[in-house]
Amino acid sequence: MLKKLITVLVIASALAGVWYLFLYHPKSVTTRSGAAYQEYLLGKEAVNKLYNNEALTHFKKAVSLDSNFAMACLYLGKLYQMNTAQKNLGEKYLKRAKALAPNVSQRERWIIYLNLAKTQKEQNAYLDSLLQKYDNTIEPHWREAAIAMKKRDFKKAEQEYKRILKINPNYAMAYNMLGYLASQQGHTDEAIEYFKKYIFIAPDEANPHDSLGELLLLIGRYDEAIKEFKEALRIRPELTKEPSFLAEGVHFHLAEAYLSEGRFKKSLDYLAKAERLRSRGDLSVQVTALKAYIFYQSGKYRESLAILAQGKDRVPDLIFLKALNAVKLHRLQLFKSCIQELEAKSYQKEMKSKGAELILDYLRGKEALLDHNYSKAIPLLKQFQKFPKFSLFAIRDLAWAYYKNNEADSADAAIQQALKINPNSADAYFILAKINFDRKRYPEAQKAIEHYLNVYKDRDRETPDSREMTELLNRIRAKKIKNN
């Protein structure tokens, strides 16, 4: 949903950066055991590949060989913290790292304190110190990029990742993050090149294929995306059986890809696998949201609402989906109550996030559409064009608002912008067909309908949308016959 991409980027950035701090200065790692140091190196290598279970094994071995190995304790604690069921163990090792910090080098000490800082002021102080004294190392620049990502300062993040590549041109994960950044800004060709460089530098790793698959999914090359995700599973068979961040991610992306083709059963199958392989508690919200969305897309609105009712979390994504289902079921009071819930001061205080604000604006735009207040809806929906993935989702409502506000050229421009991102966007073709049919531009409407139906040619079942497109196509063909 709306916050998913940024969340993934920030998690990957914050995690991967720690592991490389001493990659090019191994002697600065304080340990009394050569064997522990070798396990430590293997752990860093595994984390760089996002093979966290393997990394956990190596860092545990490093600490068992040298209980005073501060950096290994830090990394072990960070890994345990990522697993909801092992947070207490994470705290134990992080406390151990802090206790050992006075006995290690200045750089190690600063990085430990940076990772354990409780306030932003503390973090900034240690980060500034690292940048001033150790500017030619990767960690401070990686952390700067992570901070920029949280602020959506993509220009700053890009500068930091490119600075890292000056330090080490073969730093694979930097190409990964640059690919995500380019993708987020709509620079598709550039993003593909970055991901291909990532694959070239790390040909035996699964994550490069998962990353490229995400981009191919965004731009509508669904079959190619599925091949990349399955290639990730081929390279790393453990991803099909061991819970991990990467395992859950690949299967979740496969669920999204099959949903995009209307293959609902396969989508649900892979979503179930993602849930089984999850290593973090927060994925349960994403699974609930996607499962509800699958039922929403297939036209099973009541079932979708039932899934949402089972969730205990009051997160924006789930409220958003509840509102969408309410509209389809003509339950306008439920729809309005969703907006009211997001508007509540108590909720706003609890959910201080850009994602929540964007969702609220979307629903306000949707409410304006329902009230036929198109001039009010347009500015609320237009802002989603800043984000490629989200502009695709909003295209139906935005284009219809433009059209009903007598701005047909703006509607066409918005649709073409969406199709430039994803030439197989079913939503873009759906609304293009409806607008052209309403304008009595039947050849153009027929072409859009045929594109739409081709995207869903392998769909499991008819949906309200596919039925509407088929009915429009039959009406166009009937008009042709009548005219002849």
Side-chain angles (χ1 to χ4, degrees):
M1 302 304 290
L2 292 177
K3 63 185 179 183
K4 181 172 180 288
L5 178 59
I6 296 299
T7 302
V8 170
L9 291 178
V10 171
I11 289 174
S13 181
L15 175 65
V18 177
W19 320 115
Y20 274 92
L21 176 60
F22 299 103
L23 185 58
Y24 305 105
H25 304 276
K27 292 181 180 179
S28 67
V29 181
T30 304
T31 178
R32 65 191 179 192
S33 168
Y37 174 65
Q38 291 302 317
E39 292 293 335
Y40 166 82
L41 290 180
L42 290 171
K44 289 195 303 180
E45 182 182 350
V47 172
N48 180 50
K49 297 177 180 180
L50 299 186
Y51 300 164
N52 293 350
N53 293 333
E54 187 178 312
L56 192 67
T57 299
H58 289 301
F59 287 125
K60 284 170 67 177
K61 188 72 179 293
V63 172
S64 72
L65 291 166
D66 179 0
S67 61
N68 293 321
F69 197 163
M71 294 306 296
C73 286
L74 175 67
Y75 301 157
L76 189 55
K78 299 293 278 187
L79 276 173
Y80 275 131
Q81 272 199 329
M82 290 186 67
N83 190 319
T84 306
Q86 295 177 310
K87 284 189 180 294
N88 289 337
L89 267 177
E91 288 299 319
K92 171 187 170 182
Y93 283 104
L94 293 178
K95 286 180 181 178
R96 179 66 178 160
K98 186 176 182 179
L100 293 168
N103 305 322
V104 299
S105 68
Q106 182 186 66
R107 184 166 51 174
E108 290 173 277
R109 186 162 56 252
W110 282 352
I111 195 59
I112 290 171
Y113 291 155
L114 171 63
N115 278 276
L116 301 181
K118 299 296 184 183
T119 67
Q120 191 63 52
K121 185 178 180 180
E122 282 184 279
Q123 290 181 31
N124 291 341
Y126 289 118
L127 182 56
D128 288 344
S129 296
L130 283 165
L131 285 167
Q132 289 172 17
K133 193 163 183 180
Y134 303 106
D135 179 66
N136 204 40
T137 59
I138 289 170
E139 159 61 22
H141 295 287
W142 201 280
R143 185 55 70 98
E144 280 277 85
I147 292 170
M149 287 300 304
K150 285 183 180 179
K151 296 178 179 178
R152 286 190 171 86
D153 186 350
F154 299 143
K155 184 176 181 180
K156 172 67 174 174
E158 183 178 0
Q159 289 172 349
E160 293 300 325
Y161 290 129
K162 287 184 175 179
R163 174 74 178 97
I164 289 168
L165 288 175
K166 284 186 177 180
I167 297 171
N168 175 19
N170 291 320
Y171 192 91
M173 191 60 76
Y175 289 110
N176 184 45
M177 302 311 293
L178 284 167
Y180 275 120
L181 274 172
S183 171
Q184 179 66 10
Q185 297 172 86
H187 306 152
T188 301
D189 292 341
E190 185 180 354
I192 288 174
E193 287 305 309
Y194 280 129
F195 287 135
K196 285 184 176 180
K197 286 179 181 177
Y198 184 24
I199 291 172
F200 179 78
I201 293 172
D204 60 339
E205 295 180 23
N207 190 58
H209 294 279
D210 181 57
S211 297
L212 178 58
E214 282 191 84
L215 175 60
L216 294 171
L217 179 57
L218 174 67
I219 61 178
R221 291 159 62 174
Y222 306 127
D223 290 342
E224 293 176 68
I226 290 168
K227 286 179 182 177
E228 292 296 331
F229 298 138
K230 289 189 174 180
E231 178 65 9
L233 298 179
R234 186 196 67 78
I235 289 172
R236 182 72 175 177
E238 291 87 344
L239 295 177
T240 63
K241 53 190 176 183
E242 293 181 1
S244 70
F245 175 77
L246 184 57
E248 67 195 36
V250 174
H251 288 87
F252 191 91
H253 297 148
L254 276 163
E256 291 183 308
Y258 281 116
L259 172 60
S260 298
E261 294 184 334
R263 299 166 74 177
F264 306 113
K265 185 179 183 303
K266 273 189 170 291
S267 182
L268 287 169
D269 287 344
Y270 276 104
L271 187 61
K273 292 176 183 177
E275 187 169 26
R276 178 172 56 82
L277 294 166
R278 68 187 176 96
S279 62
R280 300 170 297 121
D282 60 338
L283 182 76
S284 62
V285 174
Q286 295 180 30
V287 168
T288 300
L290 185 56
K291 188 175 182 180
Y293 190 58
I294 291 168
F295 279 87
Y296 172 84
Q297 285 288 73
S298 63
K300 296 183 176 182
Y301 308 122
R302 288 184 176 81
E303 290 91 332
S304 181
L305 277 179
I307 292 165
L308 294 168
Q310 294 171 8
K312 298 179 181 178
D313 302 277
R314 293 174 61 245
V315 298
D317 291 0
L318 302 187
I319 297 171
F320 173 65
L321 284 167
K322 187 193 296 185
L324 293 184
N325 281 290
V327 171
K328 292 292 187 180
L329 293 169
H330 306 290
R331 295 175 59 180
L332 296 186
Q333 189 54 49
L334 176 60
F335 173 75
K336 290 180 182 295
S337 72
C338 291
I339 295 177
Q340 291 166 1
E341 185 174 359
L342 289 170
E343 287 176 333
K345 288 184 179 179
S346 60
Y347 188 87
Q348 288 292 316
K349 187 176 181 180
E350 177 187 346
M351 298 298 302
K352 289 181 181 177
S353 71
K354 191 69 174 176
E357 293 173 13
L358 284 169
I359 285 175
L360 182 54
D361 282 345
Y362 187 98
L363 293 182
R364 285 169 173 161
K366 192 85 170 175
E367 184 178 36
L369 274 181
L370 294 173
D371 292 336
H372 307 293
N373 190 343
Y374 305 113
S375 60
K376 180 181 178 181
I378 288 169
L380 290 166
L381 299 169
K382 187 178 178 181
Q383 62 179 314
F384 286 85
Q385 290 184 301
K386 302 173 188 174
F387 309 99
K389 184 174 182 178
F390 312 142
S391 68
L392 293 170
F393 187 85
I395 188 58
R396 286 196 193 190
D397 291 327
L398 177 60
W400 191 249
Y402 273 131
Y403 175 64
K404 298 300 286 185
N405 204 45
N406 298 315
E407 300 179 53
D409 288 345
S410 295
D412 288 339
I415 293 169
Q416 292 309 313
Q417 181 179 334
L419 289 173
K420 186 177 180 182
I421 297 168
N422 181 350
N424 286 318
S425 170
D427 286 317
Y429 286 120
F430 180 91
I431 198 63
L432 182 62
K434 287 196 68 172
I435 290 174
N436 278 324
F437 186 87
D438 198 66
R439 296 168 73 181
K440 296 182 173 54
R441 295 168 58 174
Y442 301 124
E444 291 89 343
Q446 179 172 344
K447 186 176 180 182
I449 294 168
E450 288 169 349
H451 273 293
Y452 175 92
L453 294 174
N454 185 60
V455 171
Y456 280 135
K457 65 182 183 297
D458 295 322
R459 62 189 179 275
D460 294 341
R461 54 176 303 219
E462 292 301 308
T463 68
D465 287 346
S466 63
R467 281 195 294 270
E468 184 174 352
M469 289 292 97
T470 301
E471 288 167 7
L472 277 186
L473 184 60
N474 289 336
R475 289 172 66 183
I476 291 169
R477 288 171 175 167
K479 288 179 183 294
K480 286 183 178 178
I481 293 170
K482 187 176 180 180
N483 290 337
N484 290 335

